[in-house]
């Protein structure tokens, strides 16, 4: 019984340690995700600034400025868009990885729950078996005690019978 209990405690401790490490991983992932979102926000802010400058350039172009300025704006715009697309792709990859981790964690949790349920059932069966054996042993002890008392009574009666005739003589 104690071996089963020790085994159960060991498995429970292992499962707890596993969950703690998964929580650490999820925290790190969350921090990473927040950093990536902050970078995305920064890239979006840059894109907005570029769009605002392009609007100003287009307004000045309409009012009669040089075409070389519009070429500079187009190249800046494409680099900002490239940064934004890269950030979005990174976020998508991170989301996929987090989802896979979550699914794996859910699967492990279900496994641990199932193992826990099996262990509890096995321990309950063991306890029931031990209780049954204990009741049988107690009944046997009572039976032996009663048999011992009856044997003593029989021996006393036999002794009385053997002693009674000799005292009469």
């Amino acid at each position: 019984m104690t071996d089963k209990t020790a085994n159960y405690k060991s498995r429970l401790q292992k499962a707890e340690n596993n969950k703690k490490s998964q929580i650490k991983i999820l925290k790190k992932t969350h921090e990473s995700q927040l950093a990536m979102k902050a970078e995305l926000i920064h890239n979006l802010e840059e894109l907005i600034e570029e769009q605002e400058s392009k609007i100003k350039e287009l307004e000045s172009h309409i009012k009669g400025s040089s075409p070389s300025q519009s070429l500079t704006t187009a190249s800046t715009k494409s680099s900002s868009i490239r940064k934004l697309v890269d950030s979005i792709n990174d976020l998508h990859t991170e989301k996929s990885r987090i989802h896979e981790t979550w699914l794996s964690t859910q699967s492990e949790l279900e496994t641990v729950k199932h193992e826990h349920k099996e262990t509890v059932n096995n321990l309950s069966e063991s306890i029931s078996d031990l209780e049954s054996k204990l009741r049988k042993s107690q009944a046997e002890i009572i039976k032996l005690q009663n048999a011992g008392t009856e044997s003593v009574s029989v021996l006393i009666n036999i002794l009385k019978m053997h002693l009674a005739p000799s005292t009469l003589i």
Side-chain angles (χ1 to χ4, degrees), residues 74-95:
S75 67
T76 306
K77 177 184 172 188
S78 66
S79 70
S80 295
I81 290 174
R82 201 172 323 112
K83 283 183 184 179
L84 179 61
V85 169
D86 289 344
S87 293
I88 290 171
N89 286 336
D90 290 344
L91 286 173
H92 181 69
T93 302
E94 183 70 14
K95 178 187 172 196

Side-chain angles (χ1 to χ4, degrees), residues 21 31-32 39 54-55 60 72 96 111 118-119 137 149 169:
S21 89
E31 291 170 0
S32 171
E39 183 182 344
K54 183 177 180 183
I55 290 171
S60 67
T72 306
S96 296
T111 301
E118 283 182 4
T119 303
S137 296
T149 304
I169 302 182

